[in-house]
Amino acid sequence: MPRKSRITLKEIEHLAWLARVQLTKKEKRLFKEQLSSILEYFDKLDEANVEELPPTFHVVEHYNVFREDEPRQFPSDIVLKNPPKMKGRFIKAPRIV
């Protein structure tokens, strides 16, 4: 069953709100068209007959590829630019009971 491939301006505004970015009306229209065309392409992929193909989880056979953890020091002024709410030099988060 084909899914709705057109995305609405309201959905674009919600995505922008989730990403915490401000978009102009022109940018909203641009993203609406771009995301709609991406979703339409996924509809084309859904039409491919894959009944007899075995499931593929990884294209390349790599397992347990990890890097070593290396502690790094970041300047606090750079790190503290990102949180949405601050109280003094601390990050303010919702209370969890």
Side-chain angles (χ1 to χ4, degrees):
M1 179 175 162
R3 68 174 146 333
K4 178 186 101 174
S5 60
R6 298 297 291 180
I7 192 164
T8 65
L9 281 176
K10 186 174 180 181
E11 290 168 323
I12 294 294
E13 290 168 354
H14 182 68
L15 288 172
W17 177 80
L18 289 172
R20 298 180 199 266
V21 294
Q22 298 290 323
L23 298 176
T24 64
K25 289 181 182 181
K26 184 179 178 181
E27 290 171 325
K28 289 176 189 177
R29 287 191 304 270
L30 175 66
F31 285 126
K32 178 182 180 286
E33 291 304 314
Q34 290 176 343
L35 289 173
S36 292
S37 67
I38 291 169
L39 292 174
E40 287 171 10
Y41 186 75
F42 276 101
D43 287 341
K44 289 180 185 177
L45 290 175
D46 285 340
E47 295 171 8
N49 183 6
V50 293
E51 290 295 321
E52 296 181 19
L53 293 175
T56 303
F57 298 100
H58 297 283
V59 178
V60 181
E61 297 291 327
H62 286 288
Y63 296 99
N64 298 329
V65 179
F66 296 107
R67 64 168 171 76
E68 291 295 321
D69 285 335
E70 298 174 12
R72 294 185 285 169
Q73 198 76 21
F74 289 102
S76 61
D77 58 328
I78 293 173
V79 174
L80 294 177
K81 285 183 181 178
N82 295 324
K85 292 185 180 178
M86 299 284 299
K87 186 172 186 178
R89 59 182 262 270
F90 299 101
I91 299 170
K92 188 170 182 175
R95 185 183 313 228
I96 299 173
V97 179

